[in-house]
Amino acid sequence: MPVSSGVRKRIAEFLDPDDEIHYVFPADVFGSTNPGVFFAVTRKTITILTTGWLSRKTPKSVVSTGLRNQRIGPVDTSTVPWFKFNGIDYEIDDEYVPVVHAADAEIMRDAAKPEDPLPDL
């Protein structure tokens, strides 16, 4: 199920008001006692927000923020879908694998362009 507009609105309250959310998906920190997080991928940043103990649908605080110049995946789907981001293993539901791929494709589209074979012309 996609992240609701209410959750997106609460996440936006933690972000720069001039920024724009492109992708949001929930994830679990593998092996953590408080595993619930949201990844908010914006025009400028990748922000990870923690959820509360009582509700895994309510963002509570920002755990980390980084520039939007890195990939989130690749996602390993050989078992439960998971990926490593900044040295931490995260698990996601199957339905969010395409969201991670879309976010990664967005950042990689400029890097994927072939070099100009005749740059001096």
Side-chain angles (χ1 to χ4, degrees):
M1 171 183 274
V3 175
S4 72
S5 61
V7 171
R8 284 177 169 266
K9 185 176 178 181
R10 287 190 293 276
I11 288 171
E13 293 171 3
F14 291 95
L15 305 174
D16 181 351
D18 295 332
D19 209 353
E20 174 185 336
I21 296 175
H22 288 192
Y23 305 97
V24 173
F25 61 92
D28 290 325
V29 179
F30 184 73
S32 175
T33 58
N34 189 19
V37 297
F38 283 105
F39 274 72
V41 181
T42 71
R43 197 169 25 94
K44 300 176 188 177
T45 66
I46 298 173
T47 301
I48 304 171
L49 301 104
T50 187
T51 63
W53 286 95
L54 300 177
S55 174
R56 296 183 64 200
K57 297 180 180 181
T58 305
K60 294 291 183 183
S61 64
V62 173
V63 176
S64 70
T65 299
L67 294 177
R68 181 69 177 107
N69 61 356
Q70 58 185 323
R71 291 181 63 192
I72 298 168
V75 178
D76 182 339
T77 57
S78 61
T79 58
V80 173
W82 70 277
F83 60 92
K84 185 180 290 282
F85 184 75
N86 288 342
I88 299 172
D89 293 338
Y90 295 93
E91 293 180 353
I92 58 173
D93 291 337
D94 290 330
E95 66 187 290
Y96 295 107
V97 172
V99 177
V100 174
H101 289 168
D104 285 350
E106 183 179 85
I107 195 68
M108 297 301 292
R109 72 175 165 213
D110 290 331
K113 292 179 183 174
E115 290 185 35
D116 184 351
L118 303 169
D120 297 330
L121 292 181

